[in-house]
Amino acid sequence: MGQTLAGRVAVVTGGASGIGRSCALRLAQDGARVAVLDLNAAHAGDVAAEIQAEGGTAHAVGVDVADRASVDRALAEVRKHLGPIAILVNSAGKTAHDSFLDISLELWTSVLTVNLTGTFHCCQAAVPDMIEAGWGRIVNISSSSAHSGVPYMTHYVASKAGVIGLTKSLALELGPSGITVNTIPPGFIDTPMLRTAQAGFLDTPTEKVIGQTPVRRAGRPEDISAACAFLVSEDAGYITGQVIGVNGGRNT
Ligand code: NAP
């Protein structure tokens, strides 16, 4: 891609691990100055160091996307160190697996608060910079589970379906300001979150899932970051409000 994002500041939440880490590395390779935001500040620092070692510019900030004050503090730090925010990738997320009747209001709220309200907080806190610049790109990482539904994951799936609705409505509202908003719902991407799920509640062996996947392999974080890099590029300026599935053909 070259330095297509040179001069842009990109914020990637959940940037310490899996899909977010891959997006942070890729956007830095494409020339963006990247803020790596994560609950795990130490691992976010490792990713920022990796970007710097490759010659890029990065800054790590610890954040809890569920907490608006924490998001506001983190974005103020990003502006101070890197400049106004042009690109936002919301990848921070929390998975959960519980029988519907066992989901307490507290658990329901905690999943919705990280996955959906966290996306709301980060969008609302970053968008003023984009409006000011007359240019912006937002990519929200939702989930293919919102297409299919998944038993024992009503809280998680509802939160991700909410992210899709938020994306579509925000795209309509922000289009006239030069800002695009899209969502990538990943499907079966080999990350720490997926491995934890497989070690715990996912009872389908990897080989079986691969056999049911048209392209006959598991997804890699790089599959998502490649789509993300395109969606935040200048070339994708006429794409907004879209749900861009990256799932090996498992959902069409
Ligand atoms: P991951 O490797 O676990 O990365 C998620 C990152 O988000 C972790 O570093 C995590 O930190 C961080 N995080 C969690 N809660 C946070 C909070 N409140 N504030 C800030 N950061 C927080 O998982 P992943 O697979 O890359 O997932 C990335 C996104 O893709 C998630 O939104 C997930 O729901 C979605 N997704 C993934 C798949 C898949 O197949 N992997 C499929 C569909 C959707 P800690 O580790 O400290 O909690």
Side-chain angles (χ1 to χ4, degrees):
M1 291 283 281
Q3 295 290 294
T4 53
L5 301 179
R8 308 274 191 213
V9 172
V11 168
V12 182
T13 76
S17 179
I19 290 167
R21 173 180 171 275
S22 183
C23 289
L25 294 172
R26 174 60 194 264
L27 299 192
Q29 283 159 11
D30 290 351
R33 302 195 295 280
V34 176
V36 184
L37 269 58
D38 204 282
L39 205 50
N40 191 325
H43 286 173
D46 293 343
V47 174
E50 212 175 328
I51 290 171
Q52 285 156 355
E54 287 177 7
T57 303
H59 185 73
V61 191
V63 72
D64 179 358
V65 297
D67 175 357
R68 181 53 179 266
S70 171
V71 169
D72 287 341
R73 269 196 306 275
L75 294 198
E77 189 174 329
V78 172
R79 290 182 183 102
K80 188 169 146 215
H81 285 267
L82 300 178
I85 297 147
I87 296 167
L88 171 66
V89 179
N90 284 301
S91 187
K94 174 184 172 119
T95 191
H97 190 263
D98 301 278
S99 162
F100 179 65
L101 292 179
D102 290 340
I103 298 175
S104 63
L105 180 59
E106 190 185 11
L107 176 58
W108 173 268
T109 305
S110 78
V111 174
L112 270 284
T113 304
V114 173
N115 293 348
L116 179 54
T117 311
T119 302
F120 159 76
H121 285 322
C122 293
C123 288
Q124 202 177 56
V127 155
D129 289 6
M130 301 180 192
I131 292 175
E132 173 78 23
W135 193 96
R137 296 281 188 268
I138 298 174
V139 176
N140 296 322
I141 306 299
S142 51
S143 171
S144 63
S145 65
H147 288 281
S148 56
V150 182
Y152 305 106
M153 295 184 82
T154 50
H155 36 13
Y156 177 81
V157 175
S159 72
K160 293 298 188 175
V163 169
I164 293 173
L166 182 157
T167 299
K168 290 186 176 190
S169 297
L170 195 58
L172 300 182
E173 196 169 325
L174 296 181
S177 300
I179 301 164
T180 69
V181 191
N182 293 288
T183 181
I184 300 173
F188 207 73
I189 308 298
D190 185 17
T191 67
M193 182 188 281
L194 182 71
R195 275 175 246 143
T196 303
Q198 283 185 303
F201 58 79
L202 275 188
D203 49 11
T204 318
T206 300
E207 290 314 313
K208 189 171 174 197
V209 178
I210 290 173
Q212 293 165 342
T213 303
V215 305
R216 295 290 189 271
R217 67 169 173 84
R220 307 177 190 110
E222 293 73 24
D223 293 314
I224 306 299
S225 56
C228 180
F230 172 62
L231 288 173
V232 304
S233 72
E234 204 60 53
D235 285 346
Y238 201 55
I239 301 173
T240 195
Q242 301 304 308
V243 183
I244 310 290
V246 181
N247 52 47
R250 292 170 70 225
N251 300 94
T252 56

